[in-house]
Amino acid sequence: MGDASVATQIANKWRKKRGSLIMALHELQDVKGYVPWEDAMELAQAMNIPLARIYEVLTFYNFFKLDAPGKAVISVCTGTACYLKGNDKTLEEFKKQLGINEGESTPDKMFHLQCVRCVGCCGLAPVCVVNGKTYGRVGVGDVANILAEWRKKFEDESKE
Amino acid sequence: MVKLTIDNREVEVDAGTSILEAARKLQIEIPTLCNHPDVDPSAGCGMCIVRVNGRIMRSCCTPVAEGMEVISSDAELYEVRRMVLKLLLSNHPNSCLSCARSGQCELQEMANTFNIIDAPLPNLTKKYEIDDSTKSIVFDNSKCILCGRCVEVCQNQQNVWALSYLNRGLATRITPANGIKLEDSPCIKCGQCSAHCPTGAIVEYDDTEKVWAMLRNPDIYTIVQIAPAVRVAIGEEFGFEFGENLTGKTYATLRRMGFDKVFDTNFGADLTIIEEATEFVRRFTQAPESLPMFTSCCPAWVDLLEKYHSDMIPNFSTCKSPQAMVGALAKTYYADKMGIDPEKIRVISVMPCTAKKWEIVRSEDMKSSGFQDIDVSITTRELAKMIKQAGIDFRNIKEEEADNPLGEYTGAGTIFGTTGGVMTAALRTAYYYITGQELGNLDFKEIDGLEGIKETTVTINGSDVKIAVAHGIGNVEEILCRIREAKEKGEELPYHFIEVMACRGGCVAGGGQPRVIGSGYAKPWGITDKIRKQRAAGLLNEDLNAKNRMSHHNESVKTLYKEYLGEPGGDNAHHLLHTKYVARDKYKC
C-alpha cells in the first residue's frame, strides 16, 4: 500500500485549507504522473470530499490525466506565436503519425500528446517540448525524426 | 420589501426574491426549463431571459432590486427564447413518439408552446449508452438538456452525490463519478432525480410488461398491493384534484385489470407498527444501550445507511418494510390458509417509489417465504399507464373494497405515506404497549409538516421519549452527527426514536409518483411543497376520519398473530418479518 499512502499524505497536508482540492490533485498528479481512480477514492475519503465532486474537477480541467500517460510526453505549443508560425500543422502531423488525438496516449504507452499554451521561449517558435527537452523551429518534416529519436532512446534504455 | 415593476405593473416582494418568482405574483409565467422551487437556480437553460432596465438577463438567478423595471416578454425576447429552444432541440433526439415522458415532458410542451415546427437546426444528438444498471432508474444522457435539477437534488437535497457533471462544454454529461454506472455508484435509487427531470432523460425502470405477462397467464395467481401514498396521487393522472384519496377506485380498477386478489400495503404498515413498536419498547425498557432506534421502512434510507453510516446498523430497526411483510405473508400465511401453491403466486406491489424495485431483491431475507416474496414492484406512474392501456374509465369506476385478510387497515397504517406518519403510528402503539392505556391525543403536531428535521418529546409512564423525524435524506446527517457526538462524549442521547424518509415530504412525494405537468396545471410543474401538503392531507384526513386509528386494533392483524405468527417479535415473526443489514462500499469499482 506504498502507493496508497501518497494520496493520504497529500490529503492531510491540504484538508484543513478551504478550496484546496485543486492543489491536492495537482500534487497527486505531480507524484504519479496522472490521477488513478484508487488514489482519487482515497483522497475523497481523507479530505471528506465526495468522489463525484473530485471527478467534476478532474474532468473539467484538461490538465488532469485520468490514465497513465505515455513515457514521452510531447507538448506542442499552441500559444499565439507558435500557432501563427505553423504549429497547428505540426500538431496534426503528430496526431497522424501517432494515430491519437491530443490528450491521448499511444496504446503501447510510449507517447502522450498534449497542447500547451506558451512555454516561455517564443523566440524559438514554433516550439515542441518532449519530456523537458525543447525543440525550436520545428516543422512538419521534423516530426518523424523526433519520434524516431525517442523510440531509439527507449529501445537503448531497455537493452541496458 | 422591494418594489419593482414588471411589464409596467408594480409588485412588492421580499428582498432576495428572483425576478421569475416576483413575476408569478403578477400571474406572469416566465418560461423556464431548469428552475424548480426545490433547487437553487442553476441558470442552465437560458429560457427565462427578461429585459431588466433595458438589458437582457436571466430572471431565475437575478434578484429583484428597488425601482427595477422588468419587461417579461417582447418580440426580441420571444425570438431569443425560440433560438435557445432550437439549440436545445438540435441536441435532443426526435423520439417523442417512443419516449416514456411523451405528453408529460416539459421540453416537448415548451417546443409546442413556442411553435417550433419550422426548419429546425441540424440535429447533433450524441448517442450514449443507456444506463439501466440499477433496474430502478433509467438514465439516457442523449435526452438530457443539462438543466442540472437532478444534480442539485442528488447533491444538495439528498446529499447522496451519486450524480455529478462530467467533462465540460459540449462534452458535458451528467453521470456518477468518472462516468461509471449508477449501480456502481452511491445511488440510493430514491428517484428524486427522475421526479425533477424536465425531460425523458431520467425515468423509472419499466416493469409493466412483466406484470401484464403475469396477468395473462391463467396458471398464475396474482396478488397486488398498493402503498399508502399511491391512493392520494394516482388520481392526478386522471384529472382529479391533488391529494384526493381514491382508495376504492384503485381497488376496483386493479380487480378489473385481472388481479386475483387486491390487498393493501397499509395492512403491512399496521403489522410493521406491531413489530416495530414491540422492538422499540424492548430496546427502551430493557436494552437502553441499543438506543436510539431508526425506522427502516424506506429502502433508500436502508441503502444509504448500509453505504454511508454502517456504524449505525445496530440502531436500525430490523423490521422489514410494509410491502415486504405483505409479500412474505402472501406466499405463506395466505397461501396456507387458502390452500394455494405458493409457487404459483406472484405478488405485485404498486409503490410511490423507485427504490422499492431494488428493495425486493436487496438480500436473501427478501425470500423468506421460500420464494421471492415480491415478484415485481411498479411505481404509481407505471400503474397509471397500465390503467390507461387497459382502457378503464378510472374517473367513473365504482369504488370497491380490498380483499381480506391482508386488506384491512387502520388510520395508523395509512399515514405511513407522509413524513411523521410512521412515528405517529408507532407512538400510538408503543404508548399502549408500555402503559396498557390508549393515548388521549393521537396526533403529534410537532412532527407534522415540511420542516426538514422535526422533534418532540413524549412522556410515557414518567419517562421522556425523545423523538426526531427527518425527511429529504440530506437532513439525516445532522441527526446522526448529534447522536455520534453524544455517544463520544458519553452524554445523554439527543433522541431515542427516529423516523427517516428519503424523499422530502415522505412517500407522498416519492420518486415514483405522478409528475403532473401540462397546460391545465399552474406552474411550477412537477412536485412542489404545495402538492406535498395536499397529498399528505389526503392521508391525514383518512386517518382523522377512520373508525380505527391504532395499528393494534387491526382485527386481521390480531388474527394473523393468533392463527399463524404467535407473539409479536417472536421467532416466526422474526423469520418472515425482519431482516439484517450489512456494511457496503459506496463505490463498487
Side-chain angles (χ1 to χ4, degrees):
Chain A
M1 290 299 281
D3 271 4
S5 60
V6 172
T8 303
Q9 276 170 26
I10 292 170
N12 289 339
K13 177 174 161 192
W14 292 104
R15 60 181 300 170
K16 295 255 158 58
K17 298 191 184 81
R18 268 195 67 175
S20 59
L21 173 61
I22 275 199
M23 309 308 287
L25 292 172
H26 264 269
E27 206 169 316
L28 190 56
Q29 180 158 304
D30 277 352
V31 176
K32 298 253 172 162
Y34 69 113
V35 182
W37 169 264
E38 293 73 21
D39 291 62
M41 283 259 245
E42 200 179 318
L43 201 71
Q45 181 77 30
M47 290 185 83
N48 196 22
I49 294 173
L51 188 68
R53 167 55 49 83
I54 290 182
Y55 274 91
E56 284 184 337
V57 172
L58 284 174
T59 60
F60 186 86
Y61 297 103
N62 63 16
F63 168 81
F64 291 114
K65 297 186 186 73
L66 301 181
D67 297 308
K71 275 159 79 181
V73 178
I74 304 165
S75 304
V76 180
C77 179
T78 50
T80 313
C82 289
Y83 190 86
L84 287 174
K85 287 239 174 186
N87 239 9
D88 55 333
K89 294 184 192 74
T90 305
L91 175 65
E92 285 310 314
E93 188 62 22
F94 272 117
K95 286 188 193 171
K96 205 172 97 190
Q97 293 204 18
L98 293 170
I100 54 173
N101 277 315
E102 55 171 293
E104 293 177 0
S105 295
T106 51
D108 63 1
K109 292 284 171 202
M110 196 172 286
F111 294 102
H112 180 84
L113 182 63
Q114 65 181 26
C115 293
V116 290
R117 303 277 190 273
C118 195
V119 288
C121 50
C122 305
L124 297 175
V127 174
C128 295
V129 182
V130 183
N131 284 11
K133 182 178 175 187
T134 308
Y135 298 81
R137 301 204 171 84
V138 288
V140 171
D142 299 317
V143 168
N145 292 338
I146 294 172
L147 293 178
E149 176 190 335
W150 285 89
R151 275 200 186 101
K152 185 165 183 305
K153 187 173 184 306
F154 292 136
E155 237 167 72
D156 293 347
E157 277 172 13
S158 68
K159 276 180 202 155
E160 277 167 17
Chain B
M1 297 295 271
V2 175
K3 222 184 255 178
L4 69 155
T5 67
I6 304 178
D7 299 342
N8 299 318
R9 291 167 63 208
E10 214 168 73
V11 63
E12 205 173 4
V13 292
D14 289 332
T17 309
S18 70
I19 296 173
L20 188 128
E21 289 167 63
R24 282 194 177 129
K25 296 223 159 186
L26 294 172
Q27 297 80 48
I28 297 167
E29 194 50 53
I30 299 168
T32 173
L33 285 167
C34 66
N35 194 260
H36 188 282
D38 280 357
V39 300
D40 286 340
S42 68
C45 75
M47 284 299 290
C48 71
I49 45 161
V50 292
R51 211 176 282 283
V52 181
N53 302 336
R55 281 179 61 205
I56 289 183
M57 298 177 77
R58 296 186 185 208
S59 63
C60 70
C61 57
T62 309
V64 293
E66 189 64 37
M68 196 181 243
E69 288 174 14
V70 177
I71 299 296
S72 76
S73 183
D74 63 24
E76 190 192 355
L77 288 170
Y78 175 75
E79 275 314 316
V80 176
R81 284 172 184 160
R82 283 196 70 187
M83 182 48 76
V84 168
L85 254 179
K86 284 183 188 175
L87 286 166
L88 278 174
L89 293 172
S90 75
N91 204 6
H92 193 90
N94 267 325
S95 59
C96 289
L97 276 178
S98 53
C99 176
R101 274 305 285 275
S102 192
Q104 294 189 332
C105 170
E106 295 185 40
L107 181 64
Q108 187 184 43
E109 209 279 342
M110 195 73 86
N112 288 338
T113 302
F114 278 83
N115 214 20
I116 309 288
I117 44 176
D118 58 340
L121 300 171
N123 198 296
L124 303 171
T125 308
K126 290 195 202 84
K127 261 250 171 265
Y128 293 104
E129 202 186 327
I130 292 172
D131 182 357
D132 62 358
S133 57
T134 62
K135 305 294 174 206
S136 298
I137 296 159
V138 181
F139 204 125
D140 182 353
N141 273 114
S142 69
K143 292 178 183 168
C144 172
I145 59 167
L146 297 173
C147 72
R149 284 185 196 170
C150 58
V151 178
E152 277 282 324
V153 167
C154 188
Q155 297 186 350
N156 300 333
Q157 182 172 296
Q158 303 298 74
N159 198 22
V160 170
W161 290 85
L163 292 176
S164 55
Y165 294 100
L166 186 80
N167 303 328
R168 68 193 286 182
L170 274 176
T172 309
R173 281 200 293 148
I174 291 172
T175 68
N178 203 24
I180 60 169
K181 293 258 183 264
L182 271 172
E183 173 61 9
D184 299 328
S185 83
C187 174
I188 58 169
K189 280 77 81 178
C190 68
Q192 283 300 307
C193 52
S194 76
H196 288 82
C197 180
T199 74
I202 317 178
V203 296
E204 66 279 9
Y205 186 85
D206 188 288
D207 282 309
T208 56
E209 288 304 324
K210 269 186 224 160
V211 180
W212 282 128
M214 289 170 186
L215 286 170
R216 286 178 195 128
N217 186 339
D219 299 328
I220 295 281
Y221 190 88
T222 50
I223 291 176
V224 68
Q225 54 166 322
I226 61 161
V230 172
R231 69 205 68 216
V232 289
I234 182 86
E236 294 160 21
E237 294 266 6
F238 301 93
F240 285 91
E241 272 302 303
F242 291 99
E244 202 162 334
N245 192 318
L246 297 160
T247 311
K249 280 185 189 291
T250 311
Y251 291 155
T253 303
L254 291 166
R255 213 165 265 136
R256 288 270 191 101
M257 286 167 70
F259 289 102
D260 293 305
K261 278 285 171 287
V262 179
F263 289 151
D264 202 315
T265 312
N266 285 4
F267 171 89
D270 277 334
L271 185 57
T272 300
I273 286 303
I274 302 299
E275 288 296 319
E276 202 161 73
T278 304
E279 184 182 358
F280 178 73
V281 169
R282 186 185 54 75
R283 288 184 190 231
F284 190 74
T285 56
Q286 294 164 31
E289 73 284 355
S290 67
L291 290 172
M293 186 173 104
F294 292 96
T295 61
S296 57
C297 319
C298 170
W301 163 227
V302 170
D303 201 2
L304 187 94
L305 175 101
E306 292 187 325
K307 282 179 186 154
Y308 279 80
H309 308 291
S310 52
D311 60 316
M312 294 281 174
I313 284 179
N315 299 94
F316 220 45
S317 165
T318 56
C319 292
K320 284 184 187 171
S321 73
Q323 86 149 350
M325 289 194 181
V326 170
L329 290 171
K331 292 191 180 179
T332 53
Y333 171 62
Y334 181 73
D336 280 4
K337 204 177 163 84
M338 304 301 287
I340 305 166
D341 178 1
E343 206 179 336
K344 295 212 164 118
I345 298 179
R346 295 290 179 275
V347 180
I348 294 99
S349 64
V350 185
M351 299 284 128
C353 181
T354 43
K356 290 281 173 190
K357 288 176 185 282
W358 167 78
E359 185 188 69
I360 63 173
V361 291
R362 62 166 276 271
S363 79
E364 286 301 304
D365 297 339
M366 300 296 131
K367 294 178 183 166
S368 56
S369 63
F371 306 90
Q372 189 173 310
D373 296 339
I374 295 168
D375 297 277
V376 189
S377 178
I378 58 170
T379 60
T380 314
R381 294 196 289 267
E382 286 168 274
L383 175 64
K385 201 173 272 184
M386 291 182 76
I387 295 173
K388 290 170 191 171
Q389 287 163 1
I392 294 166
D393 179 3
F394 188 83
R395 281 198 72 87
N396 294 308
I397 198 164
K398 235 177 118 245
E399 299 184 353
E400 290 176 15
E401 295 290 321
D403 289 306
N404 277 321
L406 309 182
E408 181 186 346
Y409 66 90
T410 71
T414 212
I415 55 174
F416 256 60
T418 176
T419 171
V422 174
M423 184 54 74
T424 301
L427 286 173
R428 290 176 188 170
T429 294
Y431 187 91
Y432 172 75
Y433 282 173
I434 296 177
T435 65
Q437 285 163 3
E438 303 291 6
L439 260 173
N441 180 7
L442 293 181
D443 300 302
F444 301 91
K445 283 285 156 230
E446 300 81 4
I447 55 171
D448 191 12
L450 288 176
E451 201 61 47
I453 297 176
K454 298 168 283 186
E455 299 170 340
T456 190
T457 301
V458 182
T459 310
I460 305 181
N461 254 8
S463 311
D464 281 348
V465 181
K466 285 182 272 182
I467 304 294
V469 172
H471 61 114
I473 201 149
N475 286 314
V476 82
E477 193 79 32
E478 200 180 319
I479 288 182
L480 295 171
C481 281
R482 285 181 203 158
I483 293 167
R484 287 190 186 112
E485 211 180 292
K487 278 187 172 174
E488 254 168 48
K489 292 184 183 161
E491 287 170 358
E492 202 187 326
L493 283 175
Y495 311 108
H496 300 122
F497 197 4
I498 301 137
E499 175 205 284
V500 182
M501 295 188 188
C503 298
R504 179 170 168 76
C507 316
V508 286
Q513 291 283 62
R515 288 170 291 213
V516 174
I517 73 153
S519 46
Y521 295 96
K523 288 189 182 176
W525 284 338
I527 186 68
T528 60
D529 282 354
K530 193 176 161 208
I531 297 174
R532 289 182 174 99
K533 284 180 193 155
Q534 286 172 305
R535 289 178 183 165
L539 294 178
L540 295 171
N541 285 336
E542 186 182 4
D543 171 43
L544 267 180
N545 299 317
K547 193 168 88 228
N548 242 331
R549 298 186 63 196
M550 280 166 277
S551 298
H552 53 277
H553 290 174
N554 184 320
E555 289 302 328
S556 300
V557 169
K558 285 191 210 166
T559 313
L560 165 71
Y561 279 102
K562 213 178 296 160
E563 287 181 356
Y564 197 76
L565 288 175
E567 284 300 302
D571 284 350
N572 268 347
H574 257 273
H575 171 63
L576 288 175
L577 310 180
H578 289 250
T579 182
K580 293 172 289 299
Y581 309 101
V582 287
R584 284 186 293 118
D585 290 333
K586 270 183 235 174
Y587 286 90
K588 278 195 198 154
C589 45

